[in-house]
């Protein structure tokens, strides 16, 4: 669906900032990544978005292309980031049809609420495969093209759960810690070859799939989380898109190996308060019914 420009981009950026650049985005049909892509295309880039759902990815590509006359946006659905050959084919098609790859956003991710006690090995592996292996495969598949670009950049989309720990998010915390580590390795190994690598770590983003899963759509829960955030509000997709534009712009040319947290300072208060929006605070929601918390004196 069409969005007003004010929804996904601040008015401070100049037109044609990314003219002639090509961005490759995994998870590009998602709530956050689609808006990151939309902002870049509005500012002159052409794009290739990757997703598993064919119809959703194709529709997102058509919608994003409307933000700028003459924009070229390819949607490649049916692509599983866990399979490197699938990504290599997508990257090759992107480079062939759009002329190369200059910018990459590794944004494909998986998440669901589950305790360590209730989590199966397969559930843990699924998130690790999508987030960690998927990010690694994205790097491997696009790097040959990035090395040909005069100004190549990679952004990995991460999270903040692993900074303090978060109940019900042990699998995601482990995965995102690994994503941050991969980013650092790319910064060190490919920085001397002209490729910068950074991370954006969003907090809770209003009206996103992640916020719905982790905070629920309950208005009281969302208000409670906003109250616990130092800036007093949830994040927006524009917050993340603006951070993306900054890191990919000339202003971010010397930023490499950095984790940019965009959450209003919420991670400073997370951990034990993370899942308390429903009225049942930590640790009560983790204790089986009828069992009292063990208190050590």
């Amino acid at each position: 669906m069409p969005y007003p420009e004010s929804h996904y981009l601040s008015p401070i950026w100049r037109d044609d900032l990314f003219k002639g650049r090509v961005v490759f985005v995994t998870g590009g049909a998602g709530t956050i990544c689609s808006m990151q892509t939309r902002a870049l295309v509005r500012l002159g880039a052409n794009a290739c978005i990757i997703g598993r759902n064919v119809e959703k990815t194709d529709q997102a590509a058509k919608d994003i292309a409307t933000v700028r006359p003459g924009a070229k946006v390819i949607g490649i659905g049916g692509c599983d980031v866990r399979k490197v050959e699938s990504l290599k084919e997508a990257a090759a098609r992107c480079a062939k049809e759009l002329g190369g790859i200059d910018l990459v956003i590794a944004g494909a991710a998986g998440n669901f609420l589950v305790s360590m006690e209730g989590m199966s090995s397969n559930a843990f592996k699924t998130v690790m495969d999508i987030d960690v292996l998927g990010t690694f495969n994205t790097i491997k598949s696009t790097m040959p093209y990035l090395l040909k670009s005069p100004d190549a950049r990679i952004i990995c989309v991460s999270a903040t759960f692993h900074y303090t720990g978060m109940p019900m998010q042990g699998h995601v915390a482990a995965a995102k810690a690994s994503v941050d580590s991969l980013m650092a390795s790319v910064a060190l190994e490919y920085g001397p070859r002209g490729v910068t690598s950074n991370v954006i770590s969003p907090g809770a983003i209003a009206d996103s799939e992640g916020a719905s899963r982790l905070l629920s759509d309950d208005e009281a829960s969302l208000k409670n989380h906003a109250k616990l955030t130092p800036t007093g509000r949830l994040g927006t997709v524009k917050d993340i898109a603006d951070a993306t534009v900054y890191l990919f712009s000339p202003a971010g040319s010397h930023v490499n190996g950095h984790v940019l947290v965009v959450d209003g300072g919420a991670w400073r208060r997370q951990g034990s308060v993370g899942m308390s929006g429903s009225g049942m605070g930590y640790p009560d929601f983790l204790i089986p019914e009828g069992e009292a918390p063990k208190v050590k004196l």
Side-chain angles (χ1 to χ4, degrees):
M1 60 176 288
Y3 292 88
E5 187 173 320
S6 60
H7 181 78
Y8 63 87
L9 191 66
S10 293
I12 62 172
W13 310 109
R14 66 172 173 82
D15 289 346
D16 294 332
L17 183 61
F18 300 109
K19 185 177 181 179
R21 310 290 292 285
V22 175
V23 58
F24 182 93
V25 186
T26 62
T31 310
I32 294 175
C33 291
S34 66
M35 294 301 169
Q36 292 173 288
T37 310
R38 193 178 300 258
L40 298 171
V41 171
R42 166 61 184 82
L43 297 175
N46 291 321
C48 179
I49 64 171
I50 310 303
R52 294 196 68 183
N53 185 297
V54 175
E55 183 178 356
K56 182 180 179 181
T57 304
D58 184 60
Q59 183 56 51
K62 292 177 180 177
D63 187 35
I64 292 169
T66 64
V67 303
R68 177 175 55 82
K72 297 178 181 179
V73 182
I74 302 170
I76 302 179
C79 184
D80 188 343
V81 297
R82 295 170 292 184
K83 299 177 180 178
V84 70
E85 291 304 323
S86 183
L87 272 175
K88 285 182 177 179
E89 291 175 6
R93 178 182 167 189
C94 175
K96 180 179 180 180
E97 295 187 21
L98 299 180
I101 298 175
D102 305 287
L103 312 170
V104 171
I105 299 174
N111 197 348
F112 45 87
L113 290 174
V114 63
S115 66
M116 293 293 290
E117 184 175 18
M119 191 187 318
S120 67
S121 295
N122 187 60
F124 182 84
K125 183 178 183 299
T126 296
V127 171
M128 292 295 287
D129 282 354
I130 295 172
D131 287 41
V132 185
L133 183 60
T135 297
F136 176 79
N137 287 342
T138 300
I139 294 165
K140 294 290 287 185
S141 300
T142 59
M143 190 57 70
Y145 305 99
L146 288 171
L147 290 172
K148 298 176 183 178
S149 170
D151 188 17
R153 318 275 180 98
I154 297 180
I155 289 174
C156 301
V157 180
S158 187
T160 65
F161 305 132
H162 52 294
Y163 302 168
T164 60
M166 175 73 78
M168 316 292 282
Q169 290 288 279
H171 50 327
V172 181
K176 294 307 187 183
S178 298
V179 168
D180 288 7
S181 182
L182 281 173
M183 174 278 300
S185 294
V186 173
L188 289 168
E189 294 186 21
Y190 289 100
R193 301 176 69 183
V195 182
T196 66
S197 170
N198 295 289
V199 158
I200 291 178
S201 293
I205 301 299
D207 301 319
S208 68
E209 298 171 15
S212 297
R213 289 195 190 100
L214 300 181
L215 302 176
S216 82
D217 291 319
D218 176 68
E219 186 176 351
S221 179
L222 294 174
K223 285 184 177 180
N224 182 69
H225 190 86
K227 182 181 179 181
L228 293 173
T229 300
T231 55
R233 67 172 177 86
L234 298 180
T236 66
V237 291
K238 182 166 69 174
D239 293 324
I240 308 306
D242 280 337
T244 303
V245 172
Y246 160 63
L247 288 175
F248 280 162
S249 76
S253 64
H254 199 52
V255 182
N256 191 29
H258 180 63
V259 177
L260 179 57
V261 180
V262 187
D263 76 342
W267 76 269
R268 298 283 183 180
R269 287 187 48 83
Q270 71 182 17
S272 63
V273 301
M275 302 294 170
S276 59
S278 63
M280 182 180 289
Y282 176 89
D284 297 333
F285 68 91
L286 292 169
I287 306 299
E289 187 174 354
E291 180 179 322
K294 291 182 173 64
V295 180
K296 294 183 180 180
L297 302 177

